[in-house]
Amino acid sequence: MSEELNQVQVKSFEVGDKVNGQVTKVEEKQVIININDSKLDGIIPISELSSLHVEKASDVVVEGDHLELEVLKVEEDALILSKRKVDAEKSWEELEKKFDNGEVFEAEIKDVVKGGLVVDLGVRGFVPASLVEDFFVEDFSDYKGKTMAFKIVELEKEKNRLILSHRAVVEEEKGKQKNQILDSIEQGQVLEGTVQRITDFGAFVDIGGVDGLVHISQLSHEHIDNPSDVVEKGQKVQVKVLSVDRTNERISLSIKETLPGPWANIAEKAPKGSTLTGVVKRLVSYGAFVELFPGVEGLVHISQISHKHIATPHEVLKEGQEIQVKVLDVNEIEQRLSLSIKELQEKEPEYVTDYELPEESKGFQLGEMIGDQLKKLK
């Protein structure tokens, strides 16, 4: 009689009906459900428990769980039910709202597969490898079980297609952070940054979420040919903000402006009266400029080049020549050094050029001497 009653109860259901039930038994590949607090049981195949692949039914439900289900099939004495379809239907509604609103939400990574990550949102969500981070990731094995923030970038319910992106969340946050930094940065500020990239024309420095350019001319007080000679990737540096272009999101920075200038404490490095070695950098009509330290040049006036009279410095000096000089005067404020070469040279002795006549010739007039010579010629 109970079997007949069961068959009658079963036939009162149709495919697509929604029912409530309680889990009474969890087997390896299926779950037994008591429907609507009646004596009627239903079966949930393991494939209908979740939108994801399930190895064991106990991974999804336990005895005593109350579930909302949909009738998949009406058999003679049992109902075949689906938890997956009900979950998916509810999920699609929520997911469509999230997609329309551009909402950011958190979800756990359920699996790592070829080409990306899998997330269970009531329906299977896929995160392509290129949309996981804003940088290249070689191995995703550590991502399984990790909770991350996502945005939906593609949703097609009819094709059961749901594409998620964590990268979009990261980029959006960086964009907000960048705008905040651009609004807060002022010309003249000195900030700490990290060298991110080095190019032929300078270095890009991260100053808290936004990159600024340190042009090669602003890397050092010295002339440099290659930025990598003075900075390296990952290096912490102090930078001064030269300008901020908020419209084009460009920041010009300087490392040079945070360093002591080459003329700082020059009176200690080149005290008056000291002898130093330098290199002739430029020759001009009025003298020679000699580099004593990187970025520090002093003038040897033409009058201080030699004890001899010279018309042009080119007579005794050439560019690139290494010479010794004496410091005559130091002016740190005006950044001037007066130097001398001749102060380090010995003055050549002066020779007597007046010719003195022999003793026997004294008393004779020059005209008489010439007359005698003319007589001899006749």
Side-chain angles (χ1 to χ4, degrees):
M1 180 71 180
S2 60
E3 187 175 333
E4 291 177 2
L5 179 61
N6 204 36
Q7 289 176 349
V8 171
Q9 286 182 313
V10 166
K11 288 178 181 178
S12 65
F13 290 95
E14 294 182 356
V15 173
D17 284 351
K18 300 292 191 295
V19 298
N20 292 311
Q22 184 175 14
V23 177
T24 57
K25 188 176 182 182
V26 179
E27 299 178 353
E28 186 176 354
K29 297 298 179 183
Q30 64 180 21
V31 175
I32 308 302
I33 295 288
N34 175 249
I35 298 171
N36 298 337
D37 295 325
S38 66
K39 293 183 178 180
L40 181 62
D41 287 337
I43 299 169
I44 310 174
I46 192 170
S47 61
E48 292 299 323
L49 282 172
S50 171
S51 60
L52 305 182
H53 174 72
V54 178
E55 291 291 337
K56 296 182 298 181
S58 57
D59 291 339
V60 181
V61 295
V62 295
E63 286 187 20
D65 281 352
H66 289 272
L67 306 175
E68 188 175 346
L69 307 161
E70 182 176 319
V71 177
L72 281 185
K73 191 176 181 182
V74 179
E75 297 192 340
E76 292 221 359
D77 56 353
L79 295 175
I80 306 301
L81 307 168
S82 174
K83 174 179 179 296
R84 177 182 64 82
K85 291 196 74 172
V86 174
D87 290 345
E89 192 173 314
K90 288 181 179 178
S91 296
W92 281 118
E93 290 179 16
E94 289 298 317
L95 292 169
E96 283 174 339
K97 290 179 184 177
K98 285 180 167 61
F99 181 52
D100 292 339
N101 297 329
E103 188 177 329
V104 175
F105 56 91
E106 291 190 341
E108 182 184 343
I109 308 301
K110 292 294 184 180
D111 202 3
V112 176
V113 296
K114 184 178 180 180
L117 311 175
V118 175
V119 175
D120 183 11
L121 295 171
V123 297
R124 183 182 186 274
F126 181 62
V127 190
S130 61
L131 298 183
V132 177
E133 302 286 4
D134 63 343
F135 54 86
F136 176 74
V137 179
E138 188 171 350
D139 183 10
F140 288 101
S141 56
D142 292 340
Y143 280 72
K144 187 172 182 178
K146 186 178 179 181
T147 298
M148 301 176 72
F150 296 101
K151 285 185 77 173
I152 300 170
V153 292
E154 286 185 45
L155 184 150
E156 292 182 78
K157 182 179 177 181
E158 298 76 16
K159 296 181 180 180
N160 205 38
R161 179 179 172 83
L162 181 67
I163 305 298
L164 310 175
S165 174
H166 174 67
R167 178 177 176 173
V169 177
V170 172
E171 290 177 343
E172 188 175 280
E173 285 300 313
K174 284 187 174 180
K176 291 178 182 177
Q177 190 177 21
K178 187 174 184 178
N179 289 333
Q180 290 174 351
I181 293 170
L182 284 168
D183 288 340
S184 64
I185 287 179
E186 296 294 338
Q187 183 178 331
Q189 280 183 298
V190 175
L191 306 166
E192 184 177 73
T194 305
V195 178
Q196 292 294 318
R197 286 187 297 128
I198 297 174
T199 67
D200 292 339
F201 54 84
F204 286 93
V205 176
D206 177 11
I207 49 174
V210 60
D211 287 354
L213 173 65
V214 181
H215 189 266
I216 189 170
S217 62
Q218 292 296 326
L219 285 170
S220 172
H221 287 289
E222 303 173 33
H223 171 76
I224 58 172
D225 295 317
N226 193 331
S228 58
D229 291 340
V230 291
V231 291
E232 60 183 21
K233 187 177 180 181
Q235 181 181 343
K236 298 287 185 183
V237 291
Q238 291 284 315
V239 292
K240 183 176 181 178
V241 180
L242 299 181
S243 64
V244 183
D245 183 346
R246 293 180 173 82
T247 303
N248 296 306
E249 298 184 351
R250 289 178 183 171
I251 303 173
S252 295
L253 305 172
S254 175
I255 293 175
K256 180 174 78 173
E257 291 284 317
T258 67
L259 303 174
W263 287 86
N265 303 317
I266 193 65
E268 295 177 15
K269 294 185 287 184
K272 185 176 180 179
S274 62
T275 300
L276 300 169
T277 300
V279 176
V280 178
K281 284 293 183 180
R282 289 177 294 136
L283 294 175
V284 293
S285 60
Y286 54 87
F289 286 94
V290 178
E291 185 179 61
L292 299 180
F293 307 101
V296 175
E297 292 182 5
L299 174 65
V300 181
H301 190 267
I302 190 169
S303 63
Q304 291 295 328
I305 291 177
S306 175
H307 288 288
K308 294 180 182 180
H309 172 75
I310 58 173
T312 168
H314 293 82
E315 291 179 28
V316 291
L317 297 173
K318 60 182 179 180
E319 291 182 359
Q321 181 180 348
E322 188 173 271
I323 58 171
Q324 279 200 318
V325 294
K326 183 178 180 179
V327 179
L328 300 180
D329 190 39
V330 185
N331 190 325
E332 185 174 326
I333 296 174
E334 295 183 7
Q335 297 186 355
R336 288 181 182 176
L337 276 174
S338 296
L339 309 172
S340 175
I341 297 172
K342 82 175 186 180
E343 286 282 316
L344 300 176
Q345 298 173 343
E346 288 187 16
K347 187 175 182 180
E348 296 180 7
E350 293 182 5
Y351 294 98
V352 177
T353 57
D354 293 338
Y355 179 74
E356 193 171 328
L357 292 172
E359 190 68 33
E360 60 270 31
S361 300
K362 289 182 178 178
F364 287 93
Q365 296 298 320
L366 181 60
E368 292 175 346
M369 291 178 66
I370 294 172
D372 289 341
Q373 291 297 323
L374 288 171
K375 288 178 182 179
K376 290 178 181 180
L377 292 171
K378 287 183 179 178

